Amino acid sequence: MTVYDRNNIFAKILRGEAPCTKVYEDEHVLAFNDINPKAPVHVLVIPKGEYVSIVDFTAKASAEAIAAFWRAVTKIADQLGVGSGFRVVSNHGPNGGQLVFHFHVHVTGRR
Ligand code: AMP
């Protein structure tokens, strides 16, 4: 498992050191628009804790953090007007096409 690198771009966004277009935030998660959208709605949802990928998150996060994360995903989709139909994707590892090594899911849909 890759070690978490605190200099990744999503860690910088969480610390307020890099900008983002925030669409949702609570105690556990932050969601913001993908900088290179592949659909009319394309949001990234990230936990506030330090997890490299979905595998790391599933293995190490508390049950509370995992539940809060997935509840936030559906809440955000609703809030963005795509609650009736959306896709959730998470790339794990270089072989899975992961480019940013802070766990995130892509939520895409057409408004
Ligand atoms: P992946 O790790 O393959 O899921 O891809 C990372 C995603 O993060 C890509 O869709 C990028 O467009 C997106 N991304 C990278 N940097 C930023 C940023 N500063 N703000 C918003 N989205 C970003």
Side-chain angles (χ1 to χ4, degrees):
M1 175 78 61
T2 316
V3 173
Y4 186 84
D5 174 7
R6 291 195 168 150
N7 286 318
N8 77 72
I9 184 66
F10 295 170
K12 289 181 180 170
I13 288 173
L14 276 172
R15 292 196 296 269
E17 296 167 9
C20 75
T21 306
K22 181 165 58 172
V23 300
Y24 177 85
E25 183 170 17
D26 66 23
E27 184 191 342
H28 294 279
V29 315
L30 176 68
F32 50 90
N33 286 330
D34 195 294
I35 207 168
N36 184 20
K38 301 287 196 296
V41 171
H42 187 168
V43 162
L44 301 172
V45 185
I46 70 175
K48 291 190 170 175
E50 297 180 347
Y51 305 101
V52 178
S53 77
I54 190 167
V55 172
D56 195 27
F57 181 67
T58 305
K60 295 186 193 152
S62 67
E64 185 199 2
I66 291 172
F69 182 83
W70 292 110
R71 287 194 179 114
V73 168
T74 49
K75 187 170 171 182
I76 290 160
D78 247 0
Q79 196 176 290
L80 294 172
V82 295
S84 66
F86 60 92
R87 299 180 75 190
V88 178
V89 168
S90 187
N91 300 324
H92 164 63
N95 291 342
Q98 187 177 3
L99 298 173
V100 178
F101 293 90
H102 179 111
F103 168 51
H104 55 280
V105 298
H106 299 251
V107 178
T108 57
R110 302 181 182 285
R111 215 182 298 269

